[in-house]
Amino acid sequence: MSSARSLRNVKLGTYYVVQLPEPDDFDFWRERARIMVQCDVPPDRIAWIEPGGSGDLFAHGDRRLPVPADPARPVRASRRFLALAKNAALHSDPDRWALLYRLLWRHQNNGRIMEDKADCDVARLEALDKAVRRDSHKMHAFVRFRMVEVDDAAGTPQEHYVAWFEPEHHIVRANAGFFMRRFANMRWSILTPRGSLHWDGEVMREGPPALRADAPAGDPVEDLWRRYYASIFNPARLKVGAMLKEMPRRYWKNLPEAALIPELVAGAQGREAQMVEAGALAFEARPDSLEEIGKAIHACRKCPIGLLDNTAVMGEGPRDAPLMIVGEQPGDKEDLAGRPFVGPAGQLLDLHLEKAGIPRDRTYVTNAVKHFKYVHRGKFRLHQSPAAKEIDTCRWWLEGERALVRPRLVLALGASAARALLGKTVSISRARGRPQPLDDGSELWVTAHPSYLLRLEGEAREAQTRLFDADLSAVRARLEELCAPGS
Ligand code: URA
């Protein structure tokens, strides 16, 4: 067919009906949409119908595909559009296919359309994508398996796990890989009103939509779920609004642990007090290995920082390191990585240690405070300095590390670290550049924190960086003296 013919189709008002074979078949839509664009068929000339959709209304439409004059004619679509479109195609809104085509059509004249946040089509596509991602997230989080016994081909009973889930959108097939990877060694079925998945440990099969009654009602695995949930429930972090947002009530009926929620919420205050008490117990006997400290700090609730949503970060390095470097507290990156000084301040520190000739891998690096203290600002967690009381409380763990590593020299980075080692607040400018004896016979040197340098600009930064380098060089020289044979 020539392009004149395809244009004539439009002029004469040819109406096309495209029937999708499956409600989640994005590839099929993509292929058909490409042809429609190549044939210049405008959006209002196509009805996209999915299985079970109202096809009869469009019975007069042409179900034959137009043929592009130039099948190699390029069709423009930005990467962002394709990524969002692929996910949004799983939404249950029957108008989504038309929306996708409208945007693809508009792309041909405006390749940057996706950057226009005020555009209604773009906004709608983003909303669909978000809703689908949320539904997938809920599926990952709220699928609960119940065990049944099924005879295999030889008649031997095998454990098979069956879950019932009610997705809002057509996400079941798209999420099969997630469950296959996560429960690779189990035999399981996920039944939903939109279709089912069956995994036998080797092969994934798809099945028809199921009914709630097809799934088993309850079993001992639910007790495990309930015990697990009760054990991870942190009463100090209870925010009922946030909890309802994360676990909306519509999912509760299929979650065995949901029955516990009212009870746990009601008892939250008492349990919080118990947790603080349990944290306090961890202080009675000092652990006698770094591994034990590494474990114990996770249970520490002696100050409120440990009640935030964070992970305790243990010091790291050789247990006979002659130099111990002490920072303030883990930052966002350290909290996520579970390791000290791996974020921007850590990178700057590494650079200057190398410049001074101090090998980090022969240094024990730790922090005055073991948990990340922060406040939420939108999506971000903003660092907050620990209070003097919090530094003094966490000192217990730092002293434990010092007693086990027994460094010859300790370098405090910043005022919080200096306080943790001296038990009082000192000014960095007055304390730097000279050693101070510590009670175990080691020497303390104090310098600025690399985060402080990161906050400075221009000449101030250069001047402070010179001082920092000079402090590190002095530490290196003193270490050489201390570690020289016979000293
Ligand atoms: N700042 C610190 O004081 N410690 C870290 O581990 C990271 C940043």
Side-chain angles (χ1 to χ4, degrees):
M1 187 186 297
S2 67
S3 62
R5 161 82 199 275
S6 58
L7 276 179
R8 202 164 59 241
N9 280 340
V10 176
K11 284 194 196 123
L12 294 177
T14 303
Y15 202 91
Y16 291 99
V17 176
V18 182
Q19 177 86 45
L20 287 119
E22 300 281 349
D24 59 354
D25 201 339
F26 175 73
D27 291 338
F28 182 91
W29 171 86
R30 188 176 174 174
E31 187 208 303
R32 294 297 190 270
R34 156 177 277 276
I35 295 173
M36 293 297 186
V37 169
Q38 287 173 330
C39 292
D40 297 309
V41 182
D44 61 354
R45 296 280 90 203
I46 312 172
W48 300 91
I49 310 294
E50 54 185 11
S54 47
D56 286 351
L57 276 179
F58 303 98
H60 60 284
D62 192 339
R63 286 177 188 260
R64 286 166 308 175
L65 264 189
V67 179
D70 174 9
R73 180 177 140 192
V75 172
R76 296 171 84 179
S78 67
R79 251 191 236 174
R80 175 159 166 72
F81 167 71
L82 287 175
L84 292 190
K86 188 165 183 196
N87 202 42
L90 307 179
H91 200 280
S92 47
D93 178 352
D95 293 334
R96 65 194 179 288
W97 303 112
L99 170 77
L100 298 188
Y101 187 70
R102 211 159 49 239
L103 274 165
L104 182 68
W105 176 261
R106 294 177 62 202
H107 252 88
Q108 306 316 302
N109 292 325
N110 177 6
R112 305 183 69 174
I113 186 167
M114 292 304 292
E115 289 165 32
D116 184 355
K117 299 286 171 206
D119 185 278
C120 294
D121 284 343
V122 173
R124 179 70 187 144
L125 180 68
E126 285 176 344
L128 297 189
D129 166 66
K130 191 166 167 200
V132 169
R133 276 190 286 120
R134 187 170 154 82
D135 204 26
S136 294
H137 171 74
K138 299 293 175 220
M139 184 173 178
H140 296 176
F142 298 149
V143 157
R144 295 288 180 268
F145 288 105
R146 292 165 165 135
M147 196 189 70
V148 292
E149 284 197 342
V150 177
D151 289 348
D152 65 11
T156 318
Q158 299 281 353
E159 285 182 2
H160 193 99
Y161 293 84
V162 184
W164 171 251
F165 186 72
E166 292 167 42
E168 277 185 75
H169 305 295
H170 303 288
I171 58 166
V172 177
R173 186 179 290 133
N175 283 293
F178 171 88
F179 289 98
M180 215 168 81
R181 285 188 296 279
R182 178 173 272 193
F183 301 108
N185 300 325
M186 281 164 51
R187 291 157 186 270
W188 53 258
S189 297
I190 299 178
L191 310 182
T192 91
R194 294 179 187 271
S196 311
L197 298 171
H198 306 278
W199 173 250
D200 65 4
E202 283 172 15
V203 178
M204 177 74 77
R205 275 188 309 107
E206 289 178 14
L211 298 172
R212 174 78 189 85
D214 296 332
D219 76 351
V221 176
E222 297 200 347
D223 276 345
L224 283 180
W225 272 112
R226 276 192 281 265
R227 261 186 277 152
Y228 170 70
Y229 185 72
S231 72
I232 59 159
F233 179 82
N234 184 342
R237 293 181 192 161
L238 176 65
K239 291 199 181 76
V240 176
M243 187 162 135
L244 282 174
K245 192 163 163 242
E246 274 311 301
M247 199 198 267
R249 280 186 205 275
R250 64 180 288 268
Y251 295 99
W252 286 25
K253 61 181 184 298
N254 296 321
L255 298 176
E257 69 272 29
L260 292 182
I261 291 173
E263 190 191 318
L264 288 172
V265 170
Q269 231 180 354
R271 287 197 58 213
E272 183 177 355
Q274 275 170 22
M275 276 176 62
V276 173
E277 187 92 341
L281 285 181
F283 276 73
E284 270 169 15
R286 201 191 300 279
D288 47 21
S289 75
L290 291 172
E291 287 71 27
E292 274 180 54
I293 296 182
K295 278 188 203 142
I297 54 176
H298 290 282
C300 182
R301 300 289 181 268
K302 187 76 172 170
C303 84
I305 309 181
L307 298 174
L308 294 171
D309 197 0
N310 52 17
T311 315
V313 175
M314 179 61 179
E316 65 176 26
R319 56 204 54 219
D320 57 352
L323 172 64
M324 176 180 280
I325 297 182
V326 183
E328 182 193 67
Q329 61 167 341
D332 182 65
K333 294 276 186 303
E334 287 77 16
D335 178 57
L336 297 174
R339 295 183 51 212
F341 280 106
V342 292
Q347 283 159 20
L348 191 67
L349 176 66
D350 288 351
L351 199 84
H352 289 276
L353 286 177
E354 201 183 328
K355 197 167 160 196
I358 301 174
R360 171 156 173 177
D361 60 358
R362 291 201 358 238
T363 303
Y364 187 90
V365 180
T366 190
N367 281 300
V369 171
K370 303 299 185 224
H371 283 97
F372 174 37
K373 182 173 177 184
Y374 63 88
V375 281
H376 280 290
R377 280 286 173 278
K379 281 195 288 186
F380 300 100
R381 298 190 297 174
L382 282 198
H383 162 273
Q384 281 213 307
S385 300
K389 201 161 157 228
E390 290 158 350
I391 298 170
D392 296 347
T393 305
C394 215
R395 208 167 154 201
W396 169 262
W397 301 119
L398 179 61
E399 282 178 358
E401 287 173 291
R402 279 178 55 213
L404 291 161
V405 179
R406 299 171 59 84
R408 305 292 295 271
L409 202 151
V410 181
L411 174 64
L413 303 176
S416 299
R419 178 174 179 104
L421 289 148
L422 292 168
K424 60 178 187 197
T425 299
V426 293
S427 129
I428 301 297
S429 56
R430 266 188 248 133
R432 75 191 319 168
R434 61 188 164 81
Q436 300 190 52
L438 291 176
D439 47 10
D440 62 353
S442 63
E443 268 180 36
L444 173 68
W445 290 64
V446 173
T447 188
H449 194 285
S451 302
Y452 169 65
L453 302 182
L454 286 175
R455 286 195 298 272
L456 297 176
E457 284 178 2
E459 280 178 20
R461 177 149 176 185
E462 281 170 23
Q464 285 299 325
T465 304
R466 275 196 296 278
L467 289 175
F468 188 62
D469 284 336
D471 287 340
L472 293 188
S473 296
V475 162
R476 151 114 199 256
R478 182 65 183 138
L479 257 184
E480 276 174 5
E481 275 172 30
L482 290 172
C483 300
S487 67

